[in-house]
Amino acid sequence: MITKWEVLSLIWASGVAYTAPRILNRWSLITTCDPIELCQGCRDERRYVMQEGMTYEVMGAAGGPLQVLVEAFAWYLKPFLPALRRAAGRPPLPTCSKGSCLAHTSTRRRA
Ligand SMILES: [Zn+2]
């Protein structure tokens, strides 16, 4: 017998498995490239990732993967985040303005 919780956790686990490598790719790209090649939104995200990274660094080698996992675990919250942030009175998350931004052009090239 498969219960509905098992189904839900299966969906959640596949979401994490799907999201984690994408976050890892994106973060390793935006934190290693020259910020000049990024748009304002991605530069903000880069600063955020690096600031958070310092918190995780105290955990040593497990810190980096853990940071990605924590982000991936909440993949199902992503569609609600803009509304949640508005409700909390916080500014919207920076998003990529596309165009000539490196994070945008390199994901398009890979796809
Ligand atoms: Zn961008």
Side-chain angles (χ1 to χ4, degrees):
M1 264 306 276
I2 295 174
T3 67
K4 89 179 167 207
W5 289 111
E6 279 167 340
V7 175
L8 280 179
S9 49
L10 202 67
I11 294 171
W12 176 75
S14 27
V16 172
Y18 174 88
T19 314
R22 273 156 189 80
I23 294 174
L24 192 65
N25 271 342
R26 182 177 161 74
W27 283 1
S28 62
L29 174 78
I30 63 174
T31 54
T32 51
C33 75
D34 194 331
I36 290 168
E37 295 187 77
L38 295 172
C39 68
Q40 188 57 53
C42 290
R43 232 175 288 166
D44 281 356
E45 188 177 349
R46 171 192 161 100
R47 199 171 46 227
Y48 159 79
V49 171
M50 286 179 151
Q51 267 170 6
E52 290 282 292
M54 284 195 281
T55 319
Y56 286 96
E57 222 158 61
V58 294
M59 288 174 241
L66 195 69
Q67 185 185 5
V68 171
L69 274 181
V70 166
E71 187 83 8
F73 276 4
W75 63 268
Y76 54 91
L77 287 176
K78 275 277 142 73
F80 308 110
L81 269 185
L84 285 176
R85 289 183 75 90
R86 240 194 332 267
R90 295 173 69 181
L93 277 179
T95 49
C96 186
S97 67
K98 313 241 164 82
S100 63
C101 173
L102 184 73
H104 174 62
T105 51
S106 68
T107 41
R108 201 175 41 191
R109 222 179 297 143
R110 211 179 293 140

